Amino acid sequence: SEYKGRSEGTFLFKDSFGAVWLDNDGNRLYENHNFSNAHVFVDSIAPVSIDGRWGYMDREGNVIVECMYENEALKFVDGYAWVCLSGKYGAIDKNGTVIVNPQFKYAEDFSEGLAAFEQNGTWGYIDKKGKIVINPQFDNAFSFDDGVAAVVSGRQCGVIDKKGNYVINPQFDNVVECSEGMAAFKSG
């Protein structure tokens, strides 16, 4: 067995038969499902897999988004999750409604209303309505925190605001962390 984690009053294990949830007393939950893999609950929703296709289940054990997506399903953040179809990522809401059509090579979780995405080798930012708000132009991009995000441009790290303007020009070799309005960089 493999321990996958604990959240929202449940323990999640993976054994030779698939995903197994237990309550705090060791009782099996959701026995009517045969998920081959799963992740812990976040906001009462767990990514689940059947035969390599991913979807989502609620705390009552109802499949709320059909297991039809490729790759591992990402957790819901701010009411949205990135899913993969035909090798491209798009975003869905908790009802499974497509909010952003699958079109990106990869995408990060939404944070402060924006998500970083990769398209044609460069990174930009999209809002929850699917509108590109900062055009792809970075070698890498990270999540926003307190109105700023670290980005990599020309192998140097800097920090932008939500309009894409640099508040710290690219000048550092590596970004270590960016949170609570501060960024830690490594130089040299």
Side-chain angles (χ1 to χ4, degrees), residues 118-134:
E118 182 182 5
Q119 188 175 48
N120 300 322
T122 57
W123 287 78
Y125 291 87
I126 193 167
D127 68 15
K128 290 181 180 180
K129 294 180 180 174
K131 179 182 174 201
I132 294 175
V133 294
I134 300 173

Side-chain angles (χ1 to χ4, degrees), residues 131-149:
K131 179 182 174 201
I132 294 175
V133 294
I134 300 173
N135 287 324
Q137 59 190 292
F138 307 108
D139 298 324
N140 203 349
F142 300 88
S143 296
F144 275 91
D145 186 39
D146 283 342
V148 295

Side-chain angles (χ1 to χ4, degrees), residues 15-37:
D15 65 13
S16 58
F17 298 104
V20 177
W21 280 271
L22 302 176
D23 66 15
N24 288 332
D25 297 321
N27 300 309
R28 288 178 90 104
L29 305 170
Y30 319 119
E31 289 190 77
N32 58 330
H33 293 296
N34 190 22
F35 298 120
S36 53
N37 204 350

Side-chain angles (χ1 to χ4, degrees), residues 28-131:
R28 288 178 90 104
L29 305 170
Y30 319 119
E31 289 190 77
N32 58 330
H33 293 296
N34 190 22
F35 298 120
S36 53
N37 204 350
H39 295 297
V40 297
F41 285 99
V42 175
D43 290 333
S44 298
I45 297 176
V48 294
S49 174
I50 298 174
D51 297 328
R53 294 289 180 169
W54 288 83
Y56 296 89
M57 177 180 79
D58 67 17
R59 282 296 308 266
E60 287 74 44
N62 302 309
V63 174
I64 58 172
V65 176
E66 179 186 348
C67 293
M68 59 185 269
Y69 296 104
E70 304 162 3
N71 301 338
E72 287 195 58
L74 302 175
K75 66 186 179 290
F76 278 89
V77 175
D78 289 343
Y80 300 92
W82 290 99
V83 294
C84 185
L85 273 177
S86 302
K88 301 288 184 182
Y89 281 86
I92 61 170
D93 66 14
K94 290 183 178 182
N95 298 316
T97 303
V98 175
I99 303 302
V100 178
N101 287 323
Q103 59 188 303
F104 303 118
K105 181 177 179 183
Y106 191 75
E108 296 288 335
D109 290 335
F110 280 97
S111 176
E112 297 187 10
L114 300 178
F117 68 89
E118 182 182 5
Q119 188 175 48
N120 300 322
T122 57
W123 287 78
Y125 291 87
I126 193 167
D127 68 15
K128 290 181 180 180
K129 294 180 180 174
K131 179 182 174 201

